[in-house]
Amino acid sequence: MKRFEGKLAVISGGASGMGAATAKGFTSEGGSVISIDIDEEGGKRVADEIGESCEFFKVDVTKEEDWNALESHLGERFHQITSVVNAAGISEPATIEDETVEHWDRVHAINGTSVFLGCRFAVKAMKKNGGSIVNFSSSLATSPQPFVLSYNYSKAGVLVVTRTVALHCAEMGYDIRCNAVQPGAINTPMMQRYLEAAEDPKQQLADFSASHPMNRVGEPEEVVSSVLFLCSDESSFTTGDSISVDGGVIAE
């Protein structure tokens, strides 16, 4: 029996990157996925690639009313959810000297507020039957870099939300685990945008690689394996924790 037969996951950021990779991994092991994203074209394309086990629903994850619309859309399936993976996020450069309030708020809304709303949605859905929440943080939450101030802040906040939700669920007696993953630089469209913007993309890739003790960037599947572990019953005694998938950055 595959790990996720009879299981239903809601995955944000499902139109590309880690969200899409997680949806493919979850369905490949027998599960069903509701993929959500603001990018309707990309989200439908990924869902079509996966097939009937993946349904796309357009959601702006920063808006409470969109999460409420998703709940209404799911109907009886809402309480059949077994995992919620909050993978939506953005990374754009800005130091303390060139950061703006508008950009700061935008990054925090997508990387932070969406996780709060996703966790609240998940607890409401799963508090009767149990399940797992997995939030995407980053190695930069604990090992920040100066060129992404708002990103560092937002991802550090994800860790605090994760631990707080885990403690709340334990205190309330809900069989809900809440954990995070902390990826390093991963070969996704997000990283590709940094490379495309660089004067010397090859040198930029070399710099990204050198910032990890293993001297390379990661691949999406290397992160997905940890996400699926946290979604599965194999992690039944793990909550309020984070798994670093960062080529050794956490050890420095």
Side-chain angles (χ1 to χ4, degrees), residues 68-237:
N68 292 340
L70 174 61
E71 178 182 342
S72 297
H73 170 74
L74 291 172
E76 293 182 359
R77 291 184 294 167
F78 179 62
H79 292 294
Q80 296 172 15
I81 294 169
T82 56
S83 293
V84 173
V85 179
N86 292 303
I90 60 169
S91 175
E92 298 169 343
T95 71
I96 187 60
E97 294 192 80
D98 53 31
E99 183 64 273
T100 66
V101 171
E102 291 77 16
H103 182 257
W104 174 276
D105 289 346
R106 177 172 178 265
V107 171
H108 185 63
I110 296 171
N111 292 357
T113 301
S114 72
V115 173
F116 150 63
L117 292 172
C119 286
R120 192 176 67 174
F121 171 93
V123 171
K124 184 179 180 181
M126 301 189 295
K127 64 183 179 180
K128 291 182 180 179
N129 300 316
S132 175
I133 304 168
V134 184
N135 298 324
F136 269 73
S137 180
S138 168
S139 62
L140 299 185
T142 46
S143 300
Q145 293 290 336
F147 67 94
V148 278
L149 174 65
S150 55
Y151 183 81
N152 297 337
Y153 169 83
S154 65
K155 292 301 185 177
V158 169
L159 290 183
V160 174
V161 169
T162 297
R163 293 165 184 161
T164 305
V165 171
L167 291 173
H168 172 78
C169 290
E171 183 178 86
M172 296 299 294
Y174 304 151
D175 187 19
I176 300 173
R177 296 170 291 105
C178 186
N179 295 286
V181 289
Q182 289 184 255
I186 307 298
N187 184 20
T188 64
M190 182 183 292
M191 192 184 80
Q192 289 301 319
R193 285 192 287 273
Y194 274 95
L195 298 181
E196 291 167 3
E199 291 184 11
D200 186 342
K202 288 185 178 180
Q203 184 58 52
Q204 182 63 71
L205 179 58
D207 291 344
F208 278 144
S209 298
S211 68
H212 300 71
M214 291 182 71
N215 199 36
R216 68 174 179 88
V217 300
E219 295 298 327
E221 294 75 18
E222 295 177 297
V223 181
V224 169
S225 62
S226 291
V227 175
L228 298 185
F229 165 72
L230 293 173
C231 287
S232 76
D233 294 338
E234 295 167 18
S235 59
S236 58
F237 199 51

